[in-house]
Amino acid sequence: MHIFNPVIISLGDTHADLTISSVEEAAEELLTEWPIDDSDRYYEAVKACLDCITSDADPDFARTAFVQAAEEAGMSIKGIISDIGSFQAV
């Protein structure tokens, strides 16, 4: 597993919030549940996740790309956990 500091996103009023804390979770979400799968940010996030999974790329790079793709897709970033026990509402 390629762990990064968790990101909490809202999937809308009818869905529970989702906490993503690894590159693998981000990739799964992007490839199976993503509402917009034809944008530049989406492709950058998928590439960043796959690069991290298949090489020694930095998981934080994939995390940043995932957050940018989520924002572009209109998802609400509810919080970013920067350190254990340290929650930053967005």
Side-chain angles (χ1 to χ4, degrees):
M1 276 290 225
H2 299 85
I3 305 296
F4 54 63
N5 292 329
V7 175
I8 303 167
I9 60 174
S10 173
L11 300 177
D13 294 337
T14 60
H15 300 287
D17 294 343
L18 182 64
T19 301
I20 302 293
S21 58
S22 74
V23 173
E24 290 79 5
E25 290 174 353
E28 180 178 354
E29 197 64 28
L30 286 163
L31 295 172
T32 61
E33 301 293 331
W34 214 249
I36 299 174
D37 63 359
D38 62 351
S39 69
D40 288 341
R41 294 278 169 122
Y42 170 80
Y43 290 120
E44 289 169 9
V46 170
K47 183 179 181 324
C49 288
L50 295 178
D51 285 349
C52 185
I53 291 168
T54 60
S55 70
D56 289 332
D58 185 356
D60 287 330
F61 181 73
R63 178 181 184 257
T64 298
F66 177 79
V67 168
Q68 291 172 345
E71 289 172 337
E72 181 183 64
M75 295 178 184
S76 176
I77 308 299
K78 296 193 77 176
I80 296 174
I81 300 171
S82 56
D83 292 313
I84 301 299
S86 176
F87 175 78
Q88 176 186 355
V90 178

